[in-house]
Amino acid sequence: MRILVLYNIVKKLENRAEKDLLCEKDIIVTAKEVGKALSDMGHRVDYLTANDNLYENLKKIKRNIDIVFNLAEGITSDTDKEIYIPMILDLLDIPYTGSSGFAINTAYNKVLVKNIAQAYNILTPRFCLYRRKEEAKKNNLKFPQFVKPQRGAGGIGINNKSVVNSQEELEKQVNFILDNYKKSALVEEFIDGDEITVTILGNYPNLTFLPPVGITFQELPKRTHPIFSYEAKWIPESKIYKNYTPIPNPKIKSAALNNLKTAAVQIYQTVNVRDYGRLDFILKNDKLYFLEINPNPDISESDLHCPITAAFLAQKMTYHNLIKTILESAMMRYNK
């Protein structure tokens, strides 16, 4: 088949720190890894970067494309425009892997997805949403609390100061989110438990679960919270990155494991995530708390910090198997 690998090249933005670009630069490496796997399978692979001329560029070459393997996380550096990429592909009637723009938009609205989880009686930490600085002065949640941007993915905006223990710390961190990311601040009661991620491949009813992966940390410096922060995900020189280990098949009681799979399927289906997705939970005292869902998550082969990488290796699945599964899932949706 003729497959186009679509990704974006990130440049420095005025309101973004240089380190915030690390997770988005990783997509260039992933695009090469995915392209190589597809080529090894015998497909003809081309590459295209998502920029402001994406519609025109795709329109010119659409006759030479059987399907797009969509890895783009935005248009150039604007990750808020990720939802437009599948919309453009739909408009041009070009098949592609992964979720629709509607599903991505829903998934990145963390409050909306929490409401979906609650509709299924799935536990999620109690939360508040702050759109303005003065709103943070009224807070009825228990401390400690966890502060993060209300929209987005990749751990951007999450650092050690995201866990706050006082009203003063809360207001300071809410202001940090509002000022630096121009997004509302989502504040949750912090659940000090084990973070568990679960990856689903395919489309209902043909779903495949990869082994759940526990997010664990070894010897951390004092006053460092064991959270899957931006540093833990993307900054190799940081101590928390060096002490993070994804553990496949963590010890989970069978009842909690069944609840995990049931909750994951319910949210995956309702958000209408397609082909592959990752869901994050907290497990404490055998109770599961839903955190968020990630459509089109990181599928890097070389990044051993990536939970999906740990999961497919534990399943004894090769990287080629993973890419083939995602591709075939998309092809089945298009009856190809």
Side-chain angles (χ1 to χ4, degrees), residues 110-111 114-115 117-118 122-130 138-148 170 185-192 282 288-291:
K110 295 182 175 69
V111 170
K114 279 176 167 290
N115 290 334
Q118 290 175 339
I122 299 168
L123 294 176
T124 186
R126 292 179 63 228
F127 65 92
C128 289
L129 183 66
Y130 298 123
K138 299 178 180 180
N139 182 278
N140 297 318
L141 302 179
K142 295 179 181 179
F143 287 101
Q145 297 173 19
F146 192 80
V147 186
K148 58 186 176 183
L170 168 66
L186 175 62
V187 180
E188 302 170 320
E189 290 185 351
F190 180 61
I191 308 295
D192 186 16
I282 290 288
L288 278 170
Y289 297 83
F290 169 73
L291 296 179

Side-chain angles (χ1 to χ4, degrees), residues 147-161:
V147 186
K148 58 186 176 183
Q150 185 251 342
R151 291 186 64 88
I156 289 178
I158 298 176
N159 55 46
N160 195 54
K161 294 181 180 179

Side-chain angles (χ1 to χ4, degrees), residues 99 103 107 202-203 268-269 271-277 293-296:
S99 292
N203 300 294
Y268 187 92
Q269 282 184 257
V271 178
N272 199 25
V273 173
R274 303 189 312 206
D275 303 333
Y276 64 118
I293 184 169
N294 298 273
N296 299 6

Side-chain angles (χ1 to χ4, degrees), residues 36-104:
K36 183 180 183 304
L38 293 170
S39 295
D40 290 347
M41 295 176 208
H43 300 294
R44 196 197 78 186
V45 178
D46 292 306
Y47 299 85
L48 181 68
T49 57
N51 56 32
D52 292 334
N53 297 319
L54 180 61
Y55 177 84
E56 290 80 6
N57 292 337
L58 285 171
K59 189 176 181 179
K60 290 176 184 176
I61 62 175
K62 65 172 291 186
R63 291 183 179 179
N64 299 318
I65 302 170
D66 290 316
I67 191 168
V68 168
F69 204 109
N70 180 27
L71 297 171
E73 297 177 345
I75 294 179
T76 59
S77 303
D78 193 344
T79 55
D80 288 335
K81 292 181 178 178
E82 180 179 353
I83 62 171
Y84 298 133
I85 294 165
M87 292 179 179
I88 290 171
L89 291 166
D90 284 331
L91 188 62
L92 291 169
D93 198 26
I94 300 174
Y96 59 94
T97 62
S99 292
S100 67
F102 178 81
I104 293 171

Side-chain angles (χ1 to χ4, degrees), residues 88-317:
I88 290 171
L89 291 166
D90 284 331
L91 188 62
L92 291 169
D93 198 26
I94 300 174
Y96 59 94
T97 62
S99 292
S100 67
F102 178 81
I104 293 171
N105 190 48
T106 302
Y108 285 176
N109 186 332
K110 295 182 175 69
V111 170
L112 178 57
V113 182
K114 279 176 167 290
N115 290 334
I116 290 172
Q118 290 175 339
Y120 286 109
N121 295 317
I122 299 168
L123 294 176
T124 186
R126 292 179 63 228
F127 65 92
C128 289
L129 183 66
Y130 298 123
R131 298 177 178 87
R132 296 182 295 275
K133 294 179 181 180
E134 57 270 20
E135 292 177 344
K137 297 183 182 297
K138 299 178 180 180
N139 182 278
N140 297 318
L141 302 179
K142 295 179 181 179
F143 287 101
Q145 297 173 19
F146 192 80
V147 186
K148 58 186 176 183
Q150 185 251 342
R151 291 186 64 88
I156 289 178
I158 298 176
N159 55 46
N160 195 54
K161 294 181 180 179
S162 296
V163 180
V164 298
N165 292 284
S166 68
Q167 183 65 29
E168 181 182 359
E169 291 180 0
L170 168 66
E171 293 180 25
K172 186 175 181 180
Q173 197 63 19
V174 167
N175 291 349
F176 168 77
I177 297 298
L178 294 174
D179 290 340
N180 287 274
Y181 300 99
K182 312 303 179 186
K183 297 176 182 177
S184 300
L186 175 62
V187 180
E188 302 170 320
E189 290 185 351
F190 180 61
I191 308 295
D192 186 16
D194 300 320
E195 187 165 344
I196 307 293
T197 76
V198 59
T199 299
I200 299 177
L201 305 177
N203 300 294
Y204 188 82
N206 301 311
L207 300 178
T208 299
F209 284 86
L210 296 187
V213 173
I215 307 300
T216 61
F217 299 92
Q218 306 304 320
E219 299 176 3
L220 292 178
K222 290 182 179 179
R223 300 187 182 88
T224 300
H225 299 289
I227 58 176
F228 202 26
S229 63
Y230 187 88
E231 282 188 311
K233 292 181 178 182
W234 304 110
I235 304 181
E237 61 269 21
S238 69
K239 291 184 179 179
I240 194 167
Y241 181 99
K242 294 175 181 176
N243 285 280
Y244 156 63
T245 306
I247 303 295
N249 290 311
K251 293 181 180 179
I252 304 176
K253 291 184 178 179
S254 58
L257 183 60
N258 289 335
N259 290 339
L260 175 68
K261 290 185 176 182
T262 300
V265 169
Q266 288 172 327
I267 297 170
Y268 187 92
Q269 282 184 257
T270 305
V271 178
N272 199 25
V273 173
R274 303 189 312 206
D275 303 333
Y276 64 118
R278 198 191 79 230
L279 299 96
D280 301 335
F281 295 83
I282 290 288
L283 179 64
K284 184 173 184 179
N285 298 329
D286 297 326
K287 287 186 177 180
L288 278 170
Y289 297 83
F290 169 73
L291 296 179
E292 57 188 64
I293 184 169
N294 298 273
N296 299 6
D298 180 21
I299 50 171
S300 170
E301 178 183 23
S302 56
D303 182 8
L304 298 182
H305 271 60
C306 172
I308 292 182
T309 303
F312 77 73
L313 289 175
Q315 185 84 339
K316 296 185 178 177
M317 174 185 281

Side-chain angles (χ1 to χ4, degrees), residues 21-39:
L21 304 180
L22 291 173
C23 68
E24 289 148 15
K25 289 179 179 177
D26 179 72
I27 201 64
I28 299 173
V29 175
T30 304
K32 293 178 180 178
E33 293 172 342
V34 170
K36 183 180 183 304
L38 293 170
S39 295

